[in-house]
Amino acid sequence: DNVSSVKRRLAQLFETSLRETVPGEPDVVPIVDSCSDKSGGKFGDYQCNNAMTLWSKIKGKQTGYKGPPAVGKAIMTNLPPSEMIESCSVAGPGFVNVVLSKNWIAQILLRMLIDGIDTWAPLLPVKTAVVDFSSPNIAKEMHVGHLRSTIIGDTLARMLEFSHVKVLRRNHVGDWGTQFGMLIEFLFEKFPNPEEVNEAAIGDLQAFYKASKLRFDSDPEFKQRAQQAVVRLQGGEERYRKAWKKICEISRTEFHRVYERLGVTLEEKGESFYNPYIPGVLDELDNKGLIKDSEGARVIFVDGVNIPLIVVKSDGGYNYASTDLAALWYRLNEEKAEWIIYVTDVGQQQHFDMFFKAAKRAGWLPADDSLYPKATHVGFGLVLGEDGKRFRTRNTEVVRLVDLLDEAKTRSKTAVLERDAAKDWPEEEVEKTAEAVGYGAVKYADLKNNRLSNYTFNFDQMLNDKGNTAVYLLYAHARICSIIRKSGKDIEELKKNGKIVLDHEGERALGLHLVQFSEVVEEACTNLLPSTLCDYLYNLSDIFTKKFYSNCQVIGSPEETSRLLLCEATAIVMRKCFYLLGIEPVYKI
Ligand code: ARG
């Protein structure tokens, strides 16, 4: 069978049992959960919670059961025999507790070591997904909000890809809109000869944007020219198209510098791409009777929101919403995506709520959110500075992302160089480690929080080697690798001939946590919550250190082979977590 999640395997067993327990009862969905968090695993590793709801369904009927505990007992007795299960018990009002067999856990671990961690990929009910993330605006600042979107979106894409979903990573850049009129006119003024325009000449596009905005706001004649420029650009006039392209190119180069540093790949399909599709899409919506006139604009009313969604502005122009409707249409019909995921700050929640509702009214998406195709807004909170306000650096208003990454690297390099072990590393190794740790720290500090909450950007905190930081985790991983190196054993050989034994409580706890990897990734994908995976990773390193390593001698013990294999399994799972979080592992400290 190709089910990799322990939880799903147990759910299959319980489903059989539930059918047996109440033969006539249709659609009983097994409710199975791991209990390591809740009860600390005191009563078992997993729990089935169907007895109570089942009882309330069958209460009036002639079933012979006298209450939820009796139903729980029957669920337990009817479980088909399985090598997975060591023992079961019924607790309280009918919870069925399951203790997994440690031999089975050991077997599963060994099989993963031999077949590879990809055999632990979860199965998701979608084949193709769009992750729309990063999506900065041309010539405007790429701010920390876009950094969050880039980091979160990349992780979601990685987790879905790991789960065999084909992911279309889309950079929905703001490359269309009225700001271009002003930018182009300003460009013409500054560079009468278009050949002269390049990144070096323009220098900082953000500064260029600001200067042109200043001009726009202060000179009515310029403003008028800028407004005409928009029309001429949208009308396709050659000179204007060329200038627009140039500006986009310069912006793109700058964005790419950030993506390259972060190891993020994505494909640009900016707002301009969808522009030709807008009229047809709006026609379709109009034919369905969705579009109404309102104060000169064309709008769509949706339930539960007292303002309408404007799809054609009163000046006849299209906007963010019309573009998003066209893009959704394209993604559903041309790209056949079943799940479309948008990663932006929570401030845009209403926009997404309204346009998803419009798409449901149009029949593009089912009204029931549990069905596919599905559109989901992945919102995130603000990045705050030490002062509790929106994050800014000392003298600039916005934080330049490149500077931020530079500083993270510089600081982590200093810390690396302070370590004795790094004294005789070649320069290249120091650089690589500094980057892995520095960028990893920035990413992890973002991802470990529930994305909806704001988080405070603090270099000292994120680069601390104690606590829940990337630095701590990367070093924990390096330490495990060094245990394996020091043993002098060939892991490949051990895998072939060795055996894993989980007799010590610490070994068992570690083994159990390891085999739960698949269901954690599944949960993180389902809820689009990278923090779920961060929690898992942090707990893994905690369990490794506190429960296993501090109690179970590895090198030179009679259990050396089994324990080395456990170390290897831990390192492999940690590396997969790092990979999914977009963090480069380090092997030495
Ligand atoms: N460019 C937008 C911004 O910077 C984000 C775009 C998000 N994607 C979308 N399809 N609306 O706020």
Side-chain angles (χ1 to χ4, degrees), residues 132 135-137 146 172 174 320 324 331 342 344 348 351-352:
D132 173 323
S135 310
N137 302 314
H146 294 119
H172 193 85
Y320 194 50
D324 259 332
R331 289 161 177 181
Y342 301 82
T344 80
Q348 296 196 32
H351 162 75
F352 285 103

Side-chain angles (χ1 to χ4, degrees), residues 492-534:
E492 292 311 310
E493 277 307 305
L494 300 188
K495 276 191 218 169
K496 269 186 246 152
N497 308 312
K499 196 167 173 263
I500 295 180
V501 182
L502 304 175
D503 285 342
H504 191 284
E505 203 185 310
E507 294 169 321
R508 189 186 187 281
L510 178 59
L512 175 65
H513 196 70
L514 286 169
V515 296
Q516 291 175 329
F517 174 70
S518 180
E519 60 206 49
V520 170
V521 178
E522 181 176 333
E523 193 188 322
C525 285
T526 309
N527 304 324
L528 301 170
L529 270 183
S531 55
T532 310
L533 188 65
C534 295

Side-chain angles (χ1 to χ4, degrees), residues 185-213:
E185 269 319 312
F186 197 61
L187 191 80
F188 288 159
E189 266 187 11
K190 286 250 152 174
F191 302 96
N193 174 7
E195 299 304 314
E196 280 169 28
V197 183
N198 59 34
E199 202 188 352
I202 288 197
D204 186 347
L205 250 190
Q206 283 176 41
F208 186 81
Y209 175 84
K210 268 203 188 148
S212 72
K213 179 96 172 74

